[in-house]
Amino acid sequence: MRTALYLSALATALALTACDSGGGGGGGGGTIVTPTPSPTASPSPSPSPSPSPSPSASPLPTSWADVAGYYDVQPDVATCRAGTLKAAVKAEFLARLNEIRARHGLAPVVYSTTEDAQEQESSLMMAIAQTLSHTPPSSWTCYTSGGATGAGASNLIGGWGTGLPFDSEDGLLAGWLREGGAPQLGHRRWILHPFLGQTSYGRVSVTLAGGRRATTASMRVFSFASGAPAPSTVPPYVGFPQGDYPVRYFALTDYLSFSVIPSSSNNGADRSVDFSAATVSVRNGSTNMTVTDISRDNDGYGIANNIQWRVTGLASNTSYTVTIAGVRNAPQTSYTYNFRIVP
């Protein structure tokens, strides 16, 4: 049978250290996660990003039958070998990530190869354990300290089942963005963090004993060995969705969200934005849509301020106008933007 993808996201330093977990792509689901230690603050090293991996001319595999084509070195559960992804896989992940960020006016991130081994080892542990954790115990099969470090600084996603379909990198990113319709939006906020700067990626897709398939992936979001360049552009806010947005990244019953970016240079300024008295309206022309499930927080999942809601009766190929009013401690008290869900 098919199983759902499970997700696990984490908080940054100076914020709540509890992990955020929610349902994944498909039917949705969740996993219990333990608190994640906050990363220790340290002076930023001089920027020295690794070159982005170059894609190859050959298309990537799209089925389990061809999964070996994802790797230069194959993962091996029996020997605890995490494997090595092809440069083309990492380039594909980076390209899809930056395409998503561009939809929000966010600067592209660069790829750091330094953390690749930790991300692969993290993914291997999750695949074998068939669960996700930012603090994997040393008793886990194929545990490594490097993998544990990667797990503690990454978005995680995983799926298990004899009929588990093969997901592309774009599909895994969609799982993180959509959160399976759950209200915990930590993965989305990391992906759309204006100051993310860089990332590293690990993925393990293997068949376990008994024919059970497993795909797990780790996306590094903080604690890099080197600093990243300052973003070339920082928008005044991040709305989700905004503009023409593909339906694969947003289902009509998913949570919408909005965050203010008050400074183009101060990563910590977003913590002071106050949505406690803010209101949300969504209009289709002159028709006010029904807005439900509004909540607000200043937790440290990437962007540190967030207001989120759902809308009853959304339709594809229809333009909507969102207005967030009553915002405090921000450059503006009111923000307005449009979106339309497209094929």
Side-chain angles (χ1 to χ4, degrees):
M1 68 177 185
R2 175 176 179 171
T3 62
L5 287 174
Y6 291 87
L7 306 130
S8 184
L10 56 152
T12 59
L14 307 178
L16 298 178
T17 57
C19 296
D20 164 25
S21 73
T31 182
I32 298 173
V33 291
T34 54
T36 302
S38 300
T40 302
S42 59
S44 298
S46 300
S48 55
S50 303
S52 298
S54 300
S56 67
S58 302
L60 294 177
T62 57
S63 71
W64 281 93
D66 302 317
V67 70
Y70 253 60
Y71 300 97
D72 285 330
V73 178
Q74 299 297 314
D76 185 75
V77 172
T79 61
C80 293
R81 185 177 66 205
T84 304
L85 284 172
K86 287 185 176 295
V89 177
K90 294 182 281 188
E92 170 69 8
F93 176 79
L94 185 68
R96 299 290 80 76
L97 171 62
N98 282 331
E99 283 182 4
I100 291 167
R101 290 175 60 84
R103 293 181 180 278
H104 299 265
L106 295 165
V109 300
V110 298
Y111 195 93
S112 174
T113 58
T114 306
E115 292 75 26
D116 276 355
Q118 292 182 350
E119 299 305 288
Q120 276 298 115
E121 291 169 11
S122 166
S123 300
L124 180 67
M125 287 192 292
M126 308 295 160
I128 296 171
Q130 300 183 55
T131 191
L132 304 176
S133 174
H134 294 298
T135 55
S138 59
S139 59
W140 272 16
T141 301
C142 297
Y143 172 91
T144 65
S145 59
T149 297
S154 301
N155 279 351
L156 306 174
I157 191 169
W160 300 268
T162 54
L164 185 74
F166 192 83
D167 276 294
S168 66
E169 274 48 59
D170 192 57
L172 296 178
L173 282 162
W176 276 318
L177 281 175
R178 289 198 51 224
E179 306 283 10
Q184 295 83 12
L185 306 182
H187 311 94
R188 179 190 298 176
R189 289 161 68 173
W190 272 117
I191 288 171
L192 302 180
H193 186 21
F195 299 96
L196 177 60
Q198 58 187 322
T199 193
S200 181
Y201 180 64
R203 171 177 176 160
V204 169
S205 292
V206 293
T207 300
L208 304 173
R212 190 168 170 82
R213 295 170 176 170
T215 285
T216 49
S218 305
M219 172 190 170
R220 190 69 162 237
V221 293
F222 66 72
S223 292
F224 292 90
S226 301
S232 57
T233 181
V234 176
Y237 62 83
V238 173
F240 183 91
Q242 67 185 73
D244 280 356
Y245 222 78
V247 68
R248 67 183 183 276
Y249 296 142
F250 179 82
L252 300 177
T253 56
D254 287 347
Y255 277 85
L256 296 80
S257 59
F258 178 84
S259 299
V260 174
I261 314 301
S263 172
S264 61
S265 58
N266 182 357
N267 186 14
D270 55 356
R271 299 182 183 281
S272 63
V273 175
D274 182 0
F275 288 123
S276 61
T279 60
V280 179
S281 67
V282 180
R283 301 189 313 278
N284 172 14
S286 60
T287 301
N288 286 318
M289 306 296 292
T290 300
V291 175
T292 66
D293 302 304
I294 299 176
S295 62
R296 311 152 176 87
D297 72 77
N298 287 80
D299 297 340
Y301 301 108
I303 306 174
N305 65 79
N306 176 68
I307 185 168
Q308 62 191 62
W309 65 95
R310 293 197 287 187
V311 180
T312 302
L314 288 178
S316 298
N317 295 309
T318 302
S319 295
Y320 297 97
T321 300
V322 178
T323 298
I324 314 293
V327 184
R328 298 170 177 168
N329 298 334
Q332 301 171 211
T333 59
S334 180
Y335 295 82
T336 297
Y337 62 96
N338 301 310
F339 75 89
R340 181 176 64 163
I341 305 305
V342 297

